[in-house]
């Protein structure tokens, strides 16, 4: 069943909201009243409900089945978190209310910050970044501020990052005015430590390393890297996207890092929501803490206070400024803390262990038909290359799209870039063994079919989804980014 | 533990398949002395224990709905229909992923397309993106975009731009050689921003209604900016105002950014919110953030995909237009649903009710001895000049359970000339009795 | 994708609930502790969520599309109602709390009762019946109590009901010990008034008439019927299932009825919930009010009070007892009152008008290909017979099942019994004209296909649903009403 | 009006199609003087106006979670996981119809099948139906069923059956020649019900734990009933007790009815709740209410349907086993989800926590001078004999914000011998501090 756009079925007079009648007060808008139509039709409530419910039914979601997306950590989102986030005492408070009327909100931020610091072994955390990439920006801007304070901002302009890094790493570094220098990987899928050391120098501002890395492996030389970069006068930024694999098992602070963002939606179960909102608090070392963004929460015997000035009289804190208008993603903080309290320290550690166990189980089972990218065990995600598809006429993309017809969301494809035709599978700890077995059975069977020469089926896939493969090239060639009355006509004319 | 499906037997059997004797064999690459550190954290807890703990914290906050409430300055208390919150909690929206696999994400993609259309129409622009973190970060991204488009470094901001927006834009837009300057603007609407536009100016950033509540005519500023080859970035922190006021697009803005929280989203102590970002067709490929576009599938049916992703970090890496990889999907959905329920008819009426509530509040308060209304033209927010430090007044009123607005010292801690200012917002939820209570209490504390 | 039963995937050790550890207190259960297993496996929360979400996706629902079920009034269910019902002040109060601590609850019941009395023009209402059929029982037991008070309970044992009555009418009458005597219909689809009068006598306890009746028509002789039955010493029970058609337009109390139940889920939008819970308050005339069930709410200057004794010292009220343990379906009361306040008197009247207009629009459009059961306009539902399917080889059931493949829930079939191969369509007022047009187009197209000889398609339908036609005969022959481990084995063996 | 999609233009155009000039032509059969009566009702109102009005009423009630709470006697305050309420609000469950069209209702049908299995397992019976209105009406239906099975008219009830259940059963079960009698039962568990069983007895109805909280051994009663050809109907008003106590099926009951509210459902001031009804295989076809059964579809796949509907009113009309045509679907779903989350492991633990809380409460209260605990064996509820009218005590404690339990006069207004009794329930939500507050306050008011 096709679902029209609201602009195609709505009426200009329709509204799904009943409002009291205005009193007819004289307007004081300075002569800038809006005239003419906005071309925004409305729908009555029953129509709107049905429109969005029907739309929703065209989506795949974690509540429907596994989302084996490497690097994305699609885990179960507890509804208790949603319920807590909707308590009026959290949802209906304003960021600029008097501090005396939001003591519970500040307590929550402070408590969450405390958990994050304990779990990472770091002394400070900037809570306001709005998402992972924003947390990276926060970390790199903090590093830049620290370099400025040292008078080295002009000279330290190079950032080292592994070839396998997430795209956000180079993008963030570039946004801060750094040049990015790629570190090659060794043949075990980790940073080539000698190549890395060779690149160090007094123009290096920082290294940016993901750990566990994007090949799903723990950087076993991480302390050596930290020592080396510190010795060279640079900072160690760690991309925390894969923190889910080690939370409670290792404290990044024990490994020598200076800054790391934490994706609350990956490790602490706040919902992805179809692409946001995220939340990316960034933990900071003693060296970087003085430059953290405002606002932040402090407490004393009188209660909780907000620091909203860049420079405080007492102490040497000199913030670089604001990451965002207010206090960060409070709604996500509530969800994440609810999740942490539910799991506790013991549960978080168990979750990391189960995430790693699940990934290794999948790695072991799938190795029967698919080719692991590296030898040995993995952390929380299993990486395969496309060797097993060689000469089958089936590509990584085709293989992934065929999974849709089996009822699964595809895994991450073609990432990390260092592996040919990469397929990165992260089951997470919230999949049961039963569900993993069904998933592995389906993939093994697909792999056999590919090898048996059924390339046509793969090329045609998916066929059971609400849409078949979409023409992304056409979309980009002549972008249509909004509905206009003429769209319909031109579509009809074609 | 309720979120973990594996039991002891599963774990043992799976370790066998993996070929490991104990789970820590899988963590062999971790330095041994760093593995399994002590955690000074409580153990797991059941739902009702957690609920009690969270509810205790929530109970220490004064919710907006619990009494008279006039706080605004970038976030507004509006009514959100129950339908909105119901729909965004549907599993298929709440627990879905970024729609990189469009075949099984048409639900998300279609509402993003609808969102983009609504935002473009509301702002009077040609195209909009699929949302950004919030209004302030959208503002900073607009400055970066203007620098890319104009290849200039000057970021000129009006002094009546929300100071937090100014701070974020200065920080982010000012990286890599950006030069931020701010005009002198007074609470009553006077502003020398036009005089400061130069050949180095990449963009002029002006908010309307501005942080003091003044409705700003952008046309002369647009003209002045364009004359110097600069772009005009219009900032809207109260999206409902777009239902009453001439759109920034009509007045000549090149980029419109805004905070969409007012439509469909709760106050949430400042986040998550939803940043609006719209621009002219000709600047489309310079836009940051995700874009959803129309296309067809292999069977020729209309469908939607994320498009122009070659601008984005996961493809372009250090050459990307922005490092952003998240939008504010669920908040954008809430915006779209609420906007769909309102329709143009409802939005206009809602805007009128907001304006009327503000007029009534302004009249009641400015009638008090010593209280001066500084604005001529305003939408749902205005500024009062009080005979003493507004922060003290706000605290005194909070003690009477009236949340009176935002005192100048909260926004401009370093600028004492503004500390007697009180920014007051009213919305459709403001009741006559709230206004009366506010006015009576204000008389008492002055 | 198939979804297993929880008993097939759950584990005995699994639980999706974390509870504190018991302290180990000595048990005082009198030696009756449970031993042995109950065979009830559990699921972790992520598994349970997925199980029930997947199950839900096998359902059709009003939020997905029209439910044109005559006599069932499937209308939009506003979510505001759900939100209000979950306010802690309504959801978390106990029926036996001190009356002083539930004044708002009693106020709500009293307010809702006031609306029901005003809308029906009746002086009293029994709020406790749990559903429509329970309301019927309440009405008929009240009538029986009134007859007992008159000393005529033994002699008045006959109840008259039209042939077209809902099955609950005769079932309820029989449950009260009455015999049921069917009144024939005239050729306009209404009660044959002369035949009816001829059946009256001093053994008649009551008549039970639905109005608008189950043919979707208003009983235009209703006052004559009321007068006649009153004159004969009997009472007039009106089945209020179709109140949606006339709410705000006509007050049943103005037509002479003595009792009528109101299905809150039909007229006042409380959700059907896949078959309940319902709520069936029963309005009563002055004659019947003294026998109403306990408990009920009264108010005075001190506030609201609950009457929980059968006989009150003051006044001649002598209740027949209790319909249910507590106060009725409070959760449904909250939803219904929320709906009423939202619509107001003006909106309820408009809703009835739109419901009738929508039905007549469907009647008019479908008459092009389908055969209306009676001439003229209808009230809120349009009734067709199967004449248009004659000699096509397609039966009413086949036609209805084919609607499933068009994305619709079938209409009511084979009811009322007085019409051959009946198809009863009630669109309700919450369908838009656009949706009605799509619906009519689909049905007209099906009717044409049936006439064009495509019987095979109809016999095979549905094919696009989660299941094809199910073998109901087999289910009834050897009923399997629960899962047992042996089920699987025996299924596997077959 | 927000729930009505038709606008004025639609209405006019549709009337044209219908061939009517005005809407009232369609109401021509209504007596003219009765059409469009005046309505003394307010006009329509927007969401926030309605919310305010409803919230004002809700605010006048003391919610269970707002302080110490010990009220039971047939309805219990338990914790409901957030998952339960989330799932039952899914459109596909909330807004679906009775599953008469099984091809598009397998979701509802499968959970009903799971519900029936859970109820049968919990009660120790062979089969269960798809739920009834609540426990009290299920009890009445059990009496009617026993009369059908035995072709006898005597309904013998224990005096320790919840008096409201007794009233409902007397009313409904007693129609058409039914004869209800009630045994003498004392709060401490003594009961002469066995002595009253005769050859006219269709069924003996006994509750366990009974209304005073006593755990009742049903075996001797079952034996005595069966010896006289009567059925034993066991009543369970606290479903959580089934996790701790020997099942009624094990003790010989022929029909088990119960209130399922405790599992998955809120207190809701008494409704909606979910009635449980289970019996032996041999009586299956005599059961009232809906039944869901397993079958196969035309493609041979397992599926579920409503079955044995020839017992029901819509087919059988005046010969039906019951006039019921509604079950408590959504409440049954809540029960099934919560029970699935608990599993046997969780239910047993939950039951233990309930029992422990009751033991602790009983110990604390019975240590007070003048307070006597009447029960030897109890589950999560017990009865105290106070030195004065318990209703006064309850009111005095309510004034201190402690909801202490149900006073005898509330359940037996006509029986003054019970007015000094206070029935006290504790659950997993009872905290030590609640018990302490209760005990301290009780000392003060006695």
């Amino acid at each position: 069943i096709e679902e029209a756009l609201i602009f195609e079925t709505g009426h200009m007079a329709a509204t799904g909201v009943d409002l009291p009648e205005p009193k007819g007060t004289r307007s004081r808008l300075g002569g800038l009243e809006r005239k003419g139509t906005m071309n925004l039709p409305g729908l009555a409530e029953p129509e709107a409900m049905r429109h969005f419910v029907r739309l929703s039914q065209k989506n795949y979601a974690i509540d429907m089945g596994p989302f084996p997306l490497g690097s994305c950590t699609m885990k179960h989102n507890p509804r208790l978190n949603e319920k807590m986030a909707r308590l009026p005492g959290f949802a209906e408070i304003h960021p600029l209310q008097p501090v005396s009327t939001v003591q519970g909100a500040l307590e929550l931020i402070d408590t969450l910050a405390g958990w994050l610091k304990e779990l990472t072994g770091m002394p400070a955390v900037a809570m306001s970044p709005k998402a992972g990439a924003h947390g990276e920006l926060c970390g790199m801007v903090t590093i830049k501020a620290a370099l400025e304070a040292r008078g080295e901002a002009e000279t330290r302009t190079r950032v080292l990052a592994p070839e396998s890094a997430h795209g956000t790493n180079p993008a963030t570094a570039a946004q801060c005015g750094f040049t990015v220098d790629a570190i090659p990987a060794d043949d075990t899928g980790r940073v080539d430590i000698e190549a890395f050391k060779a690149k160090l120098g007094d123009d290096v501002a920082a290294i940016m390393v993901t750990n566990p890395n994007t090949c799903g492996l723990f950087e076993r030389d991480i302390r050596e890297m930290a020592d080396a970069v510190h010795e060279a006068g640079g900072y160690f930024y760690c991309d925390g996207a894969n923190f889910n694999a080690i939370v409670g098992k290792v404290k990044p602070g024990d490994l020598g890092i200076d800054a790391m963002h934490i994706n609350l939606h990956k490790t602490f179960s706040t919902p992805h929501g179809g692409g946001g909102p995220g939340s990316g608090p960034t933990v900071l070392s003693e060296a970087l803490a003085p430059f953290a963004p405002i606002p932040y929460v402090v407490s004393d015997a009188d209660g909780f206070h907000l620091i909203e000035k860049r420079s405080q009289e007492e102490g040497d804190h000199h913030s670089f400024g604001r990451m965002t208008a207010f206090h960060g993603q409070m709604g996500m903080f509530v969800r994440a803390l609810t999740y942490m309290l539910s799991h506790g320290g013991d549960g978080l550690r168990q979750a990391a262990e189960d995430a790693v166990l699940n990934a290794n189980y999948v790695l072991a089972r799938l190795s029967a038909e698919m080719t692991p990218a590296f030898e040995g065990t993995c952390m929380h995600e299993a990486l395969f290359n496309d060797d097993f598809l060689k000469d089958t006429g089936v590509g990584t993309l085709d293989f992934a799209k065929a999974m849709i017809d089996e009822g699964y969301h595809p895994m991450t494809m073609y990432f990390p870039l260092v592996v040919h035709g990469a397929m990165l599978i992260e089951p997470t700890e919230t999949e049961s063994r039963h569900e993993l077995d069904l998933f592995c059975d389906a993939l093994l069977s697909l792999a056999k079919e590919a090898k048996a020469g059924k390339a046509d089926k793969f090329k045609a896939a998916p066929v059971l989804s609400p849409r078949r493969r979409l023409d992304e090239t056409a979309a980009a060639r002549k972008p249509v980014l909004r509905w206009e009355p003429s769209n319909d006509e031109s579509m009809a004319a074609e | 533990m309720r979120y973990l499906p594996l039991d002891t037997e599963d774990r043992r059997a799976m370790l066998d398949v993996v070929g490991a004797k104990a789970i820590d064999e899988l963590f062999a690459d971790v330095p041994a002395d760093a593995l399994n550190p002590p955690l000074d954290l409580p153990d797991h807890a059941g739902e009702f224990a957690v609920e009690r703990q969270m509810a205790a914290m929530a109970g220490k906050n004064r919710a907006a709905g619990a009494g008279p409430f006039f706080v605004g300055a970038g976030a507004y208390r509006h009514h959100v229909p129950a339908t909105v919150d119901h729909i965004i909690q549907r599993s298929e929206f709440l627990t879905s992923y970024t729609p990189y696999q469009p075949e099984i994400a048409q639900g998300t993609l279609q509402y993003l397309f609808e969102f983009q259309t609504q935002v473009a129409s509301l702002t009077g622009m040609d195209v909009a993106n699929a949302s950004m973190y919030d209004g302030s970060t959208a503002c900073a991204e607009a400055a970066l975009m203007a620098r890319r488009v104009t290849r200039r470094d000057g970021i000129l901001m009006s002094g009546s731009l929300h100071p937090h927006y100014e701070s974020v834009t200065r920080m982010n837009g000012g990286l890599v050689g950006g030069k931020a300057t701010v005009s002198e603007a007074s609470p009553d609407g006077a502003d020398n921003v036009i005089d400061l536009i130069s050949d180095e100016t990449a963009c002029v950033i002006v908010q309307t209604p501005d942080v003091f509540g003044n409705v700003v005519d952008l046309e002369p500023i647009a003209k002045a900016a364009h004359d110097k080859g600069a772009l005009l970035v219009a900032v809207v922190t109260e999206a409902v105002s777009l239902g009453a006021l001439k759109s920034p697009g009509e007045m000549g803005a090149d980029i419109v950014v805004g905070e969409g929280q007012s439509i469909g989203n709760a106050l949430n102590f400042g986040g998550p919110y939803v940043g609006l970002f719209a621009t002219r067709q000709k600047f489309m490929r310079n836009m940051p953030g995700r874009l959803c576009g129309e296309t067809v599938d292999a069977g020729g049916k209309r469908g939607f995909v994320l498009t122009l992703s070659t601008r984005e970090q996961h493809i372009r890496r250090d050459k990307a237009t922005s490092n952003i990889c998240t939008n504010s999907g669920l908040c954008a959905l809430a915006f779209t649903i609420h906007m769909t329920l309102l329709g143009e008819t409802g939005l206009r009426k809602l805007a009128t009710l907001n304006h009327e509530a503000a007029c009534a509040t302004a009249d009641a308060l400015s009638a008090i001895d010593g209280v001066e209304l500084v604005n001529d033209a305003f939408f749902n927010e205005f500024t009062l000049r009080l005979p003493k430090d507004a922060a003290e007044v706000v605290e005194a009123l909070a003690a009477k359970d009236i949340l009176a607005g935002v005192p100048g010292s909260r926004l401009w801690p370093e600028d004492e000339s503004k500390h007697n200012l009180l920014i007051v917002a009213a919305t459709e939820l403001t009741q006559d009795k709230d206004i009366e209570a506010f006015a009576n209490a204000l008389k008492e504390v002055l």
Side-chain angles (χ1 to χ4, degrees), chain A, chain B:
Chain A
I1 297 181
E2 299 304 302
E3 184 63 18
L5 293 162
I6 47 180
F7 315 103
E8 293 162 342
T9 54
H11 346 275
M12 292 309 296
T15 177
V17 174
D18 291 320
L19 294 166
E21 283 310 306
K23 293 171 184 162
T25 319
R26 183 182 62 84
S27 136
R28 293 190 230 173
L29 297 173
L32 293 169
E33 286 81 2
R34 185 159 201 146
K35 294 177 181 85
T37 178
M38 296 173 241
N39 270 315
L40 287 175
L43 293 175
E45 187 179 294
E47 298 173 276
M49 176 66 83
R50 210 174 263 172
H51 174 69
F52 290 103
V53 167
R54 285 169 171 172
L55 280 189
S56 77
Q57 292 174 330
K58 299 177 192 293
N59 272 2
Y60 186 85
I62 191 76
D63 283 351
M64 294 162 63
F67 246 106
L69 279 167
S71 242
C72 298
T73 315
M74 291 292 290
K75 61 163 75 167
H76 172 63
N77 303 136
R79 288 316 186 283
L80 179 64
N81 304 359
E82 297 302 311
K83 185 176 172 187
M84 294 301 97
R86 284 165 174 83
L87 291 173
F90 293 137
E92 297 176 22
I93 54 174
H94 191 287
L96 299 174
Q97 270 180 231
V99 167
S100 60
T101 67
V102 289
Q103 286 292 301
L106 301 187
E107 180 184 346
L108 183 134
I109 293 175
D110 194 59
T111 306
L112 176 61
W115 278 74
L116 294 174
K117 289 188 282 189
E118 176 64 17
L119 288 168
T120 57
M122 301 286 279
V125 57
M127 296 299 290
S128 62
K130 295 286 218 173
H134 208 222
E136 285 184 35
L137 184 64
C138 176
M140 295 309 284
V141 170
T142 308
I143 287 170
K144 191 156 185 167
L147 291 172
E148 263 164 28
R150 284 162 48 182
E152 298 184 78
E154 303 301 314
T155 53
R156 293 194 176 264
T157 56
R158 199 155 49 95
V159 162
L160 308 181
E163 288 171 344
S164 62
H166 293 119
T168 48
N169 294 174
T172 302
Q175 191 161 353
C176 295
F178 296 115
T179 55
V180 183
D181 194 356
I183 319 170
D186 66 17
D187 57 9
T188 75
R190 297 175 178 84
V191 166
D192 182 327
I193 186 80
E194 296 312 322
F196 158 69
K197 285 184 179 170
K199 283 178 181 283
L200 286 171
D202 56 13
D203 64 337
V204 167
I207 53 170
M208 296 183 84
V209 174
T210 308
N211 192 30
N213 71 21
T214 60
C215 299
L217 303 170
F218 194 89
E219 294 286 354
R220 58 171 84 102
D221 299 322
I222 186 161
R223 274 188 178 152
E224 197 175 342
M225 284 192 265
D227 291 344
V229 74
H230 289 152
E231 200 170 324
Y235 295 99
F236 189 157
Y237 186 88
C238 181
D239 180 328
N242 292 339
F243 190 46
N244 195 53
I246 58 168
V247 61
K249 293 293 288 182
V250 196
K251 295 182 177 181
D254 291 346
L255 305 173
I257 70 155
D258 292 295
M260 180 181 90
H261 75 270
I262 300 166
N263 303 80
L264 293 186
H265 58 287
K266 293 184 184 178
T267 307
F268 300 113
S269 83
T270 72
H272 271 251
S279 181
T282 302
V283 290
L284 299 169
S285 63
E286 291 288 359
L288 297 180
F291 309 97
I294 52 170
Y296 56 91
V297 178
V298 297
S299 68
D300 62 18
D302 292 339
F304 296 92
H305 310 277
L306 261 178
I307 304 301
E308 294 184 302
K309 283 191 192 179
R310 284 185 62 188
S311 191
Q312 294 304 311
E313 291 76 5
E314 68 281 7
D316 59 352
H317 190 287
H318 189 86
S319 166
F320 68 75
R322 284 184 179 266
M323 290 299 300
T324 177
F326 303 118
H327 316 293
Q329 306 286 56
M330 179 69 171
M332 302 296 121
F333 298 165
V334 179
R335 291 169 173 87
L337 184 60
T338 302
Y339 174 83
M340 289 175 177
L341 293 174
S342 295
H343 258 313
D346 58 335
L348 291 172
R349 179 175 292 177
Q350 183 70 57
E353 292 179 357
D354 285 0
V356 170
L357 178 57
N358 275 355
N360 278 283
Y361 183 73
V362 168
L363 177 64
R365 284 212 53 202
L366 293 187
S367 294
E369 296 287 342
M370 294 168 62
T371 39
F374 299 101
E375 275 186 27
T377 62
C378 60
M379 294 298 284
H380 63 306
E381 44 198 12
L383 179 61
F384 299 88
N385 62 31
D386 60 359
D387 278 1
F388 74 100
L389 295 175
K390 198 175 283 178
D391 304 326
T392 62
V394 176
T396 290
L397 180 72
D398 304 321
F399 191 78
K401 295 290 185 190
M403 286 170 65
I404 294 176
D405 286 335
E406 303 293 318
Y408 295 104
H409 193 281
M411 72 280 274
T412 295
M413 293 172 275
Y414 303 113
F415 182 85
L417 308 174
V418 294
V419 168
H420 195 271
M423 302 180 206
L424 186 61
I425 297 177
E426 177 180 359
T428 84
E429 71 278 9
T430 60
E431 295 302 328
S432 70
R433 184 178 160 204
H434 174 73
E435 196 77 70
L436 293 179
D437 279 332
L438 293 176
F439 174 77
C440 290
D441 292 346
L443 261 66
L444 291 171
S445 152
L446 282 179
K448 282 181 196 153
E449 285 187 84
K451 293 174 188 175
K454 301 197 183 162
D456 288 354
K457 166 183 165 165
F458 288 83
K459 292 287 177 200
V463 295
L464 301 177
S465 48
R467 280 288 177 276
R468 295 177 55 197
R469 284 196 212 183
L470 289 137
D471 190 341
E472 308 202 11
T473 314
R477 199 184 311 120
K478 201 188 159 198
V480 177
L481 303 184
R482 63 175 292 183
W483 179 86
E484 295 192 71
S486 55
N487 286 10
D488 284 347
E489 289 153 30
S490 66
M491 296 290 282
E494 276 170 26
Chain B
M1 273 166 278
R2 62 191 183 273
Y3 303 146
L4 300 179
L6 301 188
D7 62 21
T8 310
E9 189 196 321
D10 289 327
R11 292 184 186 113
R12 193 198 41 70
M14 291 166 74
L15 279 173
D16 281 352
V17 171
V18 169
K21 288 210 166 46
I23 186 71
D24 280 347
E25 286 183 26
L26 303 176
F27 289 86
D29 289 334
V30 176
D33 65 326
L35 190 63
N36 298 327
L39 296 173
D40 184 16
L41 297 170
D43 275 354
H44 66 284
E47 270 204 29
F48 53 89
V50 175
E51 273 193 54
R52 277 183 197 137
Q53 202 171 341
M54 297 302 287
M57 282 191 262
K60 292 176 198 164
N61 303 319
R62 166 31 164 101
F69 184 89
F70 297 88
V71 193
Y76 300 88
R77 178 186 174 229
H78 292 288
H79 182 262
V80 179
T83 302
V84 174
D85 197 45
H86 177 80
I87 293 173
I88 67 168
Q89 288 191 72
R90 274 184 66 79
S91 292
E92 293 86 339
F93 286 133
L94 186 78
T95 75
S96 63
Y97 184 63
T98 310
Y100 290 138
Q101 300 297 325
E103 299 89 349
I104 48 176
Q106 286 297 304
T108 298
L109 288 160
Q110 183 167 333
Y111 85 66
L112 289 177
F113 189 79
E114 294 175 343
F115 171 82
Q116 290 175 179
T117 305
Q118 288 174 336
V119 172
S121 297
L122 281 168
T123 54
M125 304 304 283
D126 300 323
V127 289
N129 76 10
S131 80
M132 311 202 76
Y133 303 141
D134 67 2
S136 64
T137 55
C139 183
E141 289 285 348
L144 288 168
M145 172 170 150
R147 289 181 56 197
R148 284 194 299 276
V149 168
T150 62
R151 298 171 185 274
R152 296 177 179 180
D153 290 334
I155 301 169
L156 172 58
M157 293 179 270
S158 162
S160 60
L161 173 65
H162 193 297
H164 294 175
Y165 282 51
E166 188 259 344
S167 173
V168 175
T169 305
R170 179 185 291 275
M171 183 284 289
N172 195 350
L175 294 167
V176 200
K179 290 180 194 66
T181 50
V182 179
S183 74
E184 298 276 334
S186 74
D188 64 3
D191 188 355
N192 70 339
V193 72
I194 286 181
D195 307 334
L196 302 180
I197 303 173
S198 76
D199 292 343
E200 263 103 68
T201 306
C203 61
V204 189
I205 305 181
V206 182
Q207 176 178 332
T208 180
D210 72 18
V211 71
F212 305 106
N214 299 296
V215 173
V216 179
D217 186 356
L218 298 175
E219 279 198 40
I221 310 173
K223 188 169 177 311
H226 295 160
D227 284 351
K228 299 266 187 184
L231 304 187
L232 173 61
V233 176
V235 176
V236 177
T237 64
E238 170 48 295
V240 171
S241 71
L242 294 166
L245 295 170
K246 209 184 268 193
S247 72
E250 284 178 88
M251 296 191 281
D254 300 288
I255 302 174
V256 184
V257 295
E259 176 51 66
Q261 172 266 328
S262 281
I263 298 185
N265 287 278
L267 285 169
N268 284 328
F269 200 53
Y273 287 175
V274 49
L276 313 180
F277 197 110
T279 189
R280 306 263 173 219
Q281 183 77 25
K282 61 182 169 186
F283 302 132
M284 178 175 69
R285 287 172 197 268
N286 285 292
M287 262 201 287
R290 288 190 190 132
L291 295 171
C292 171
E294 184 177 316
T295 187
V296 292
D297 80 351
K301 289 184 180 166
R302 177 170 74 180
F304 303 92
V305 291
L306 291 182
T307 191
L308 300 182
S309 56
T310 50
R311 300 164 304 112
E312 292 186 67
Q313 47 75 28
H314 65 283
I315 307 285
R316 205 80 178 292
R317 301 179 73 87
D318 53 335
K319 304 288 185 298
T321 54
S322 157
N323 79 327
I324 286 180
C325 94
T326 305
N327 61 351
S328 213
L330 214 57
C331 301
L333 173 59
F335 181 103
T336 301
I337 300 166
H338 194 185
M339 192 58 230
T340 299
L341 286 169
L342 285 166
E344 182 162 337
T345 309
L347 181 66
R348 283 177 182 275
K349 196 167 173 186
L350 180 65
T352 304
L353 290 170
N354 271 261
H355 185 50
E356 289 191 340
C359 290
T361 309
D363 287 346
L365 299 177
S366 61
I368 297 169
D369 270 357
V371 176
E372 180 200 349
L373 172 66
V374 306
N375 322 72
D376 284 330
F378 57 88
F379 171 61
N380 71 349
E381 190 164 23
F382 54 85
T383 297
L384 299 177
R385 182 168 282 116
L386 302 182
K388 58 174 161 178
D389 190 308
E392 287 170 37
V393 173
V394 165
E395 280 298 334
L397 291 173
K400 294 171 180 287
D401 205 32
I402 291 166
L403 299 189
V406 180
S409 58
R410 189 79 191 264
L411 295 175
W412 300 277
E414 282 95 357
D415 180 359
E416 293 197 1
S417 75
K418 296 199 174 79
H419 289 194
N420 282 12
L421 300 178
L422 177 65
I423 301 174
V424 178
T427 71
E428 75 283 2
L429 291 175
T430 307
Q431 301 183 66
D432 290 346
K433 65 176 186 185
D434 299 335
I435 299 172
E436 203 177 315
F438 187 3
N440 289 339
L442 183 58
K443 264 179 240 167
E444 284 173 32
V445 305
L446 282 184

